[in-house]
Amino acid sequence: MITREQAEELFRKYNKSESLYHHALSVEATMREFAKKYGEDPEYWGIVGFLHDIDWEMFPEEHCRKAPELLREIGTPDDVIHAVCSHGYGLVTDVKPERQMEKILYTVDELTGLVNATALMRPTKIEGMEAKSVKKKWKDRRFAAGVNREVIEKGAEMCGIDMNELIETTIKAMAGVADKIGLN
């Protein structure tokens, strides 16, 4: 398995945007939180979450298709590559999320964006935020219009997770890294 340090170095090589880095940290934290809930390896799930958009900034037209080449630079195992590619299922790739970890990644990639946007509208940011705040913003399709709510719904169904639990776990995870992602 690759180390978190190798993942960080590779991510920084291909991504300079601070907002994309914050997104990677948000997804990483959320994946770690879900790994703990399922009794899985938080380091493994976290690295997958952190690297999921490795090709987004430099190769947006090849998103999820360029990732394998970049990930192989550091000897990334095939299962991690499959997981990274599966988060774009039905959007930019036909690699289907199969394992629970992949289904969670597919879902929280979009959800972290909605949680982030909701937190930015609050005076206390993510501190004290509850699922109902996110659900209220969910209804306004103009709010965080780039967030694909259908992907979140489809992912929640794939995962077999209640939407409240999904949102609450994501908020908890992102609150844990609020100082690193600009939400404190």
Side-chain angles (χ1 to χ4, degrees):
M1 183 59 184
I2 58 174
T3 66
R4 176 58 174 77
E5 292 74 27
Q6 289 173 301
E8 176 94 21
E9 188 176 315
L10 186 69
F11 184 89
R12 293 290 198 176
K13 178 178 177 181
Y14 291 105
N15 298 281
K16 307 302 180 202
S17 163
E18 207 56 28
S19 63
L20 188 59
Y21 182 67
H22 288 174
H23 173 66
L25 292 174
S26 296
V27 174
E28 174 186 23
T30 304
M31 292 298 290
R32 286 176 180 275
E33 193 65 34
F34 274 103
K36 291 177 206 168
K37 278 182 92 99
Y38 288 107
E40 298 289 341
D41 181 1
E43 187 70 13
Y44 175 67
W45 283 40
I47 286 173
V48 169
F50 182 73
L51 288 173
H52 81 283
D53 277 342
I54 188 67
D55 59 3
W56 176 250
E57 188 173 315
M58 291 184 78
F59 308 99
E61 298 301 318
E62 298 176 79
H63 185 45
C64 294
R65 294 183 305 277
K66 184 75 171 175
E69 176 187 330
L70 306 182
L71 293 168
R72 284 191 182 99
E73 287 182 25
I74 58 171
T76 305
D78 288 341
D79 58 326
V80 173
I81 292 171
H82 184 275
V84 165
C85 294
S86 74
H87 90 275
Y89 177 66
L91 303 169
V92 295
T93 183
D94 60 357
V95 178
K96 187 174 184 177
E98 296 168 356
R99 298 174 290 154
Q100 184 70 354
M101 182 260 296
E102 294 169 342
K103 295 171 185 177
I104 298 282
L105 176 62
Y106 173 82
T107 308
V108 303
D109 178 32
E110 292 291 322
L111 182 57
T112 57
L114 187 60
V115 169
N116 186 72
T118 303
L120 290 172
M121 299 301 294
R122 297 167 34 89
T124 59
K125 304 276 192 256
I126 203 160
E127 183 183 329
M129 191 163 92
E130 297 178 1
K132 67 181 179 181
S133 298
V134 176
K135 290 173 91 175
K136 185 177 177 182
K137 294 292 188 186
W138 179 290
K139 296 174 187 173
D140 180 0
R141 298 292 177 155
R142 294 170 298 171
F143 178 79
V147 172
N148 189 328
R149 288 150 172 85
E150 290 75 30
V151 166
I152 300 169
E153 291 167 346
K154 184 177 176 181
E157 189 177 308
M158 268 195 261
C159 296
I161 300 177
D162 171 74
M163 193 61 73
N164 279 332
E165 179 186 349
L166 184 65
I167 295 169
E168 288 167 3
T169 302
T170 301
I171 291 169
K172 177 182 177 187
M174 290 175 65
V177 294
D179 58 323
K180 295 178 182 175
I181 61 173
L183 294 180
N184 55 352

